[in-house]
Structure formats: C-alpha cells, structure tokens
Amino acid sequence: MTTAPPATDERLGSPGLLDRLVLRPEIGSLLGALLVFAFFSVVTERFLSTGGVATWLDDASTLGIMAVAVALLMVGGEFDLSAGVLTASTALVTAILATRLGWNVWLALLASLAFALAVGVLNGWLVMRTGLPSFIVTLGTFLALQGLNLGVTRLVTGTVQVSGMRSAEGYASAGFLFASTFTIGGTAFYVSILWWVLVTVAASVVLLRTRFGNWTFAVGGSAPAARAVGVPVFRTKVALFATTAFAAWLVGSINILRFTSVQANQGIGLEFQYIIAAVIGGCLLTGGFGSAVGAAVGALIFGMARQGIVYANWNSDWFQLFLGVMLLAAVLVNNALRRRAERVRR
Amino acid sequence: MTSPRTAVRAGLALAGLALLAACSGPTATNTDSTNADGTGTGAAQAPTGDLRVAVISHGTAGDAFWNVVKNGATDAGRQLGVTVDYNSDGDPGRQATLVDNAVSQGVGGIVVSMANPDALKTSVENAVKAGIPVITINSGSERSAAFGALAHVGQEESVAGEQAGAKLREAGKATLLCVIHEAGNIGLNQRCDGARAGFGGTVSTLQVDINNPTDVEARIKGALQTDTSVDAVLALNPQVAVSAVNAVKGASSAAAVATFDLNADVTGAIKAGDVLFAVDQQQYEQGYLPIVMLKLYRDNANTVGGGKPVLTGPGFVDRSNVDEVAEYAERGTR
C-alpha cells in the first residue's frame, strides 16, 4: 500500500447494527445459550445457585477447551475424530510414566505433551500428504489410539485403570495448575473453567487478529486459492491439527490430575460432541467460517443442558432425545441467521 | 464478547477474580482435601417430610443390569415415600459432576456406584462434608468407608469370580475363556482374575464391545474356532451370555457357558440347558436396600453393615432354582 485510502469509499455499504450483528458466526449460539439459560433458570431455582453454576460451568469447561480447538481446525476445513480418545491417551501416558516408572509429574506431563503433538502432526501430515479427507485419516487414528489405550494399559498395569497419581512426585504443584479450585462466594469453582476462558480468548485473538488466523480462514475457504496467494497451506493445517492435539493434552492433564485415575475407555464418542459444540457455535462443516467464542458458547449450552436436566429432576432416560432436538434447533437457527448474513454481505 | 479486545478484558478480569479468590490446590497425599464445602443443605433437613435421594450409577443408559438396580431404587422409593432420582454416566468425570450436582441440589441422600473410586473421591467427600449421607453400591467397597460413606451394598467381585471358577472346575472343565465387555471397568477384570484363581486350569480373556452385539458374538465365535480346546466360556453380563450361547452353537463347539447376572433370556437358556449357571448378585437389592438404609438413617439414625460391606451376592441360579427366579427376571427385578 503506497497511497493512503480515502476516508470513505462510496462502494462500501453501511449495514445497520442488527445486520452487523447477524454477520457474527457466534450470534446464533449466544441466542441459544440465553434461551437454555432462561429456560432452566425458570424451571429450577437450583440451577442458578452458586453450587449449580459451578457444576454446569465445570461440565462445560473441558468440553469447551476441546470445542474451541476443534472450531479452529474446522475453520481450517478439517475434522479431527481422534481428539476425544486422545484426551484419554495423554492422561494414560502421564499416569503410566508417573505411577509406574516413578517420573516426576511435570516430566510425565511434558512427555505426554510431546506424544500429543506427535499424534497431531502425524494426523496433519497424513491428511496433507495423502490428500485423503481428514474424516477418514483421523477415524483411523481414533481406532488406533483406542486400541493403544487399552492394550498398553493392560500390558503395563494388568488392569484397565491407572490410578495412584496422588502419591506421585510433583503432584501437588502440577495439580495446583490444572486441578485446583478457587472459591467465589463460598463455592469451589474448578480451575479448568479459567483454562477454558484462557483458551477461548487466545483462540479468538489468533483467529481474528493475527496472520495465522487469516491463513486459517483462507485454507478452510479454498486451499488452492490460498496456496495461489502464498499462504503456507501445509504448515497451517499441520499446526491446526497440532492445536487440537495440544488441547487434548490440556484436557487429559486436567482430568488425570483432578480425578487421579484414568480408564482405558475414556473419551470415546466425545469427538462428536466437540464437533457439535463447534457447529452450534457457527462453524461450517465445509470450513472457512466459524468462531472460537461460538464454540465455547456451544460447549456452555451442552453443559447447561446436561446438568439442567438433572436439576429439573426429569427422567434421565429422555436426556439424549432432549439434547438431539436442542442441537437440531440450534443448528437450524444458525442456518437461518447465516442465510440472512449472506444477504447482508451481498 | 463481540470483539477479541473485550474478550481479553473479560478474561483478565476473570483471572484477576481467581487470583483474589482463595485458591486451593488438590492435596498430594491422603489428608483431608482443602476444597471448600458444597452448598448442600442435606444435614439441615428435618427428620420428617420429604426425603430425596439421588442414585448415580456408572451404567450406560439402556444397560439391562442397571435397569434392575433402577427398578429396585424406584420401587423402594414408591413403597417408602422417598423421591428417587436416577442418573447415570459411564464417564467417571461426568459421574463426579452428577454427584456435585446432587450436592448442590441439597438432596437428603446420595447412592453412588464407584467403578472408578479415585475419580469420585473429591465429589463423594464433598457430599459427606456437606452433611449428606452417602451409600456406595456395586463397586468400590474397599474405598467406601475411607471416603466417609455410611455403608457399601454390593458383591465382592473377586470372591464371586473365584466361586464361579471353582464351580466350573467342579463341572470338569479345563480351558476357560473369560469375556470382558467394558474396557474401563475394573470390576470385570477382578471377576476374571478371581475366576483364574478359582478355576486352576488355563484361562484366557477376550475383549468385546457390549454396545455392539454382532461384534460380541462374532469375536467369541472366532475365539472358539481358533482354540478348539476351550470347553467353558464365562460371560460377565447376561447380554454377552446370550451372544456366547449363539457363538458356541455357531462354532459347533461343545463349550459350556456360564455367566454373571441374570435376565429373562439367561433364565430361559438355563432351563434349556444352554447355560450351566448364572452368578446372581441380586442387584435389585443394590437399588432397594440403600433407599431403606438412608430412610432408617434419617428417621432413626440407624446404620447397617457394621462397617463391612453388605453383600448381595454371589448367589447361584442353575436348573434347581431357575423356575422361581425366571418369573422375577421377567418383570425386571432379578
């Protein structure tokens, strides 16, 4: 840019506030969250007690951390089906190193982080090298990790749970970072909620304010076009896969330090919840559109609904039905808003 | 949060709040944890009026075994005028969250199955601290008292496995296949280990996925065809037992099938001679008794069990007593 742009450009329209709001991908999820929040607040007064709030925020937090990372990846036009099982794999690596081999917890955490990043980079590398859809590649990783989790755990421990983290060296300090509680108004809130906020803010800033964020939108929108204008597609996508793996490590670490034990079958099926939370938050399955804040709000809806149903004392048999209907409703609202948004753009 | 800048501000504000608030990490050893009390009001309940009990299990929704436990709890609730909420989640973390949820609802009692005691430790201890009586069921008996629970109602898995193994050996079997249907369930491993100890012969384990009946049958069939010396299959779940019977027939093997737990299909198979016996842990009692115990505790300050687990099993169902048990299994109480 050598010449300064003119102060106003007659070619630019000036859409009204409502239209500008509708352009935000997360607006649908925010409306949905308000609805769910209002609904359960009316149905049961326990939902709004500090203990209640702590419970549903806690439920939403680890899901939210993953949903935000998965949202970035989906904006970049890819899926990661191995993310759910990877939360268990990382916890198992940490637990086995710390309890069976007597490593310091911090070292074990570093080792499992390296393992997670290796899996993430492998996912990205395979997707980019083979040209196969990431849905297929990560489905393979998902199954492989599931087998590894069970096989290695049983091989090393002779059972299917690894426990005893509490007596590992360095547990207290690592636990303080990942699994402590802070008290507000006499109620204990888990620190995972803060991690969730931190990850959401960081992801939002990266996505909206940095070059890497622009690259992410570009490779998700159209990889060939992005390549043509000089975006490093390969590196961007591999970095995005590494990001979900990092998030899986964070969630795995939070879980293992808080619950001090991990089961070999944990995390299976969660990958779809991450994707759903991201989609409620305005991500498109086709990539190139989405928001980190939206995904965090999607996870919040999940947490509020999951615990709200319990607070309302409904028969839990119907829980999944309610969840399914609610998700469809949220996605339909998103869709309607997006149509409107596209009209505004034109 | 419409722009990242406000998001950053909000994040910083929250982080600041957290710093100002009293932080407390988890404890490194088994001393009292320093977490703040829950906001439960269970202790403040008058000894009359409504009693609300939350039953929180680790069973997956739609599991036949846990359905009987649920029936036991709801029947007891109906008969004693106790409100019973049943919730379950196979994921230990989410199960812990359900316990926290019950505490913040201020229920009058909590019944929880501890397949993964470590994961539930903090939540159960917080419930006890909030003055809510807790009774553990089904699994986790060895940690029950340490967490401050009133009592444990269940079956000792390793003892039950040992007796099942011994019974199969008495039947003259030499090679046993033990079928594990949930990857993360420690109790199933204890059953197989117990069976190994009681059986004395060759014992191998096979991992299957309970959520996929086709896969269960195919894998057992495959294992029987691979190793034709197998003359006994021990299923740890009635659904798996039915698949095992089909697999034995499909592989034209002569292996005898024995199983843990009952349902109408298994009683039918015992009558038909397809299943040798079932180890019955009478899980209806695991739902029913805790409700009774919690009511007694509230109304009369009674405790049950004298600090030892209240055992509901193992009982054995074979051809000698299958007929009377069958009609009860039919209605979902055995």
Side-chain angles (χ1 to χ4, degrees):
Chain A
M1 281 284 168
T2 46
T3 53
T8 55
D9 188 330
E10 74 283 356
R11 285 169 303 180
L12 292 177
S14 51
L17 176 69
L18 194 68
D19 285 341
R20 274 214 306 268
L21 268 180
V22 155
L23 277 175
R24 314 267 341 159
E26 61 268 17
I27 194 73
S29 63
L30 280 170
L31 287 176
L34 279 175
L35 268 178
V36 172
F37 179 80
F39 175 74
F40 282 114
S41 304
V42 170
V43 168
T44 158
E45 76 276 10
R46 290 280 175 196
F47 187 76
L48 270 181
S49 67
T50 44
V53 173
T55 308
W56 50 257
L57 280 179
D58 173 35
D59 191 3
S61 61
T62 46
L63 172 64
I65 291 169
M66 290 307 299
V68 166
V70 166
L72 289 190
L73 182 68
M74 282 173 72
V75 169
E78 303 290 349
F79 284 104
D80 189 351
L81 296 185
S82 66
V85 179
L86 193 56
T87 59
S89 302
T90 50
L92 282 165
V93 170
T94 309
I96 286 173
L97 291 176
T99 62
R100 301 287 144 168
L101 303 183
W103 288 30
N104 183 299
V105 172
W106 287 102
L107 273 179
L109 284 172
L110 276 180
S112 66
L113 175 59
F115 166 78
L117 292 178
V119 172
V121 169
L122 177 75
N123 272 338
W125 185 82
L126 280 174
V127 168
M128 295 309 288
R129 270 278 168 262
T130 59
L132 287 169
S134 52
F135 197 91
I136 303 296
V137 171
T138 56
L139 188 60
T141 328
F142 158 75
L143 294 169
L145 283 173
Q146 208 178 316
L148 266 181
N149 286 356
L150 184 59
V152 171
T153 309
R154 211 198 288 271
L155 191 73
V156 173
T157 65
T159 170
V160 289
Q161 286 176 13
V162 188
S163 55
M165 278 300 281
R166 222 172 269 277
S167 51
E169 188 193 341
Y171 170 77
S173 55
F176 187 79
L177 186 62
F178 290 110
S180 55
T181 54
F182 55 96
T183 314
I184 298 176
T187 309
F189 288 79
Y190 272 94
V191 78
S192 56
I193 299 166
L194 291 185
W195 279 108
W196 176 31
V197 172
L198 186 76
V199 166
T200 308
V201 170
S204 227
V205 169
V206 165
L207 200 56
L208 299 174
R209 291 293 154 104
T210 66
R211 198 169 56 164
F212 184 79
N214 284 342
W215 288 353
T216 305
F217 279 111
V219 298
S222 164
R227 196 173 277 117
V229 295
V231 173
V233 176
F234 188 95
R235 257 194 305 154
T236 305
K237 291 216 178 188
V238 170
L240 287 170
F241 276 106
T243 306
T244 48
F246 172 83
W249 169 78
L250 181 59
V251 170
S253 305
I254 287 170
N255 283 343
I256 185 64
L257 290 165
R258 173 170 165 189
F259 300 118
T260 66
S261 73
V262 53
Q263 290 178 192
N265 67 339
Q266 243 164 273
I268 296 168
L270 295 184
E271 58 281 341
F272 287 111
Q273 292 183 10
Y274 308 151
I275 291 171
I276 290 165
V279 169
I280 290 179
C283 286
L284 287 182
L285 292 181
T286 48
F289 190 79
S291 121
V293 171
V297 174
L300 184 67
I301 291 178
F302 241 96
M304 287 195 297
R306 239 186 334 222
Q307 299 303 321
I309 287 171
V310 181
Y311 281 116
N313 295 320
W314 292 354
N315 185 339
S316 54
D317 292 352
W318 303 99
F319 170 69
Q320 298 284 18
L321 172 71
F322 176 85
L323 207 61
V325 171
M326 200 189 62
L327 294 180
L328 278 175
V331 175
L332 286 173
V333 168
N334 266 344
N335 222 10
L337 285 168
R338 196 171 304 114
R339 287 232 175 79
R340 199 192 147 116
E342 275 156 8
R343 272 212 308 283
V344 173
R345 282 222 180 91
R346 279 202 298 275
Chain B
M1 294 187 201
T2 45
S3 86
R5 199 165 301 154
T6 48
V8 170
R9 280 204 203 105
L12 285 173
L14 256 172
L17 246 181
L19 284 175
L20 287 173
C23 268
S24 55
T27 46
T29 50
N30 285 329
T31 54
D32 280 351
S33 75
T34 47
N35 293 334
D37 283 2
T39 54
T41 52
Q45 284 211 333
T48 52
D50 284 347
L51 175 61
R52 176 179 287 282
V53 173
V55 181
I56 298 153
S57 86
H58 66 269
T60 46
D63 182 302
F65 176 92
W66 286 103
N67 184 42
V68 175
V69 177
K70 183 181 178 177
N71 287 344
T74 46
D75 286 357
R78 220 185 7 258
Q79 288 158 20
L80 298 167
V82 175
T83 316
V84 174
D85 300 322
Y86 178 89
N87 283 291
S88 65
D89 205 313
D91 179 276
R94 283 210 297 278
Q95 209 197 341
T97 311
L98 285 171
V99 176
D100 295 342
N101 188 322
V103 172
S104 68
Q105 285 190 63
V107 294
I110 293 176
V111 178
V112 58
S113 69
M114 301 202 299
N116 190 329
D118 282 309
L120 293 166
K121 184 176 191 288
T122 312
S123 296
V124 171
E125 283 174 347
N126 281 344
V128 171
K129 225 178 283 177
I132 300 174
V134 177
I135 290 184
T136 57
I137 58 169
N138 186 263
S139 34
S141 61
E142 65 288 347
R143 308 287 296 278
S144 172
F147 292 178
L150 280 187
H152 178 85
V153 181
Q155 155 179 283
E156 296 293 320
E157 300 293 11
S158 49
V159 173
E162 211 166 311
Q163 294 200 15
K167 225 175 151 67
L168 282 166
R169 196 190 47 207
E170 281 162 30
K173 305 297 171 190
T175 316
L176 175 65
L177 179 71
C178 193
V179 185
I180 296 183
H181 59 266
E182 274 173 20
N185 189 334
I186 209 156
L188 302 182
N189 276 276
Q190 289 168 342
R191 286 179 185 178
C192 281
D193 291 344
R196 186 172 283 118
F199 188 67
T202 331
V203 181
S204 53
T205 56
L206 176 71
Q207 182 75 47
V208 297
D209 178 9
I210 184 75
N211 297 321
N212 185 347
T214 323
D215 163 85
V216 173
E217 192 174 318
R219 277 201 216 186
I220 298 174
K221 194 166 148 186
L224 291 171
Q225 284 164 337
T226 316
D227 184 358
T228 48
S229 69
V230 172
D231 54 9
V233 178
L234 181 59
L236 306 181
N237 168 297
Q239 285 148 298
V240 175
V242 174
S243 300
V245 168
N246 291 338
V248 166
K249 285 180 178 157
S252 24
S253 151
V257 178
T259 180
F260 274 73
D261 304 331
L262 275 181
N263 65 7
D265 293 342
V266 169
T267 53
I270 293 174
K271 279 183 199 166
D274 290 331
V275 170
L276 202 57
F277 63 85
V279 183
D280 184 16
Q281 66 170 305
Q282 305 174 96
Q283 70 273 25
Y284 183 81
E285 295 176 340
Q286 294 176 11
Y288 194 99
L289 292 177
I291 308 296
V292 177
M293 287 151 84
L294 285 167
K295 185 154 171 67
L296 282 171
Y297 180 74
R298 192 197 61 165
D299 295 347
N300 208 26
N302 285 137
T303 54
V304 180
K308 292 266 188 294
V310 178
L311 298 184
T312 62
F316 286 96
V317 178
D318 52 22
R319 280 191 118 141
S320 63
N321 62 350
V322 68
D323 287 328
E324 59 171 335
V325 173
E327 59 180 288
Y328 303 143
E330 204 75 44
R331 64 178 193 197
T333 61
R334 278 302 286 266

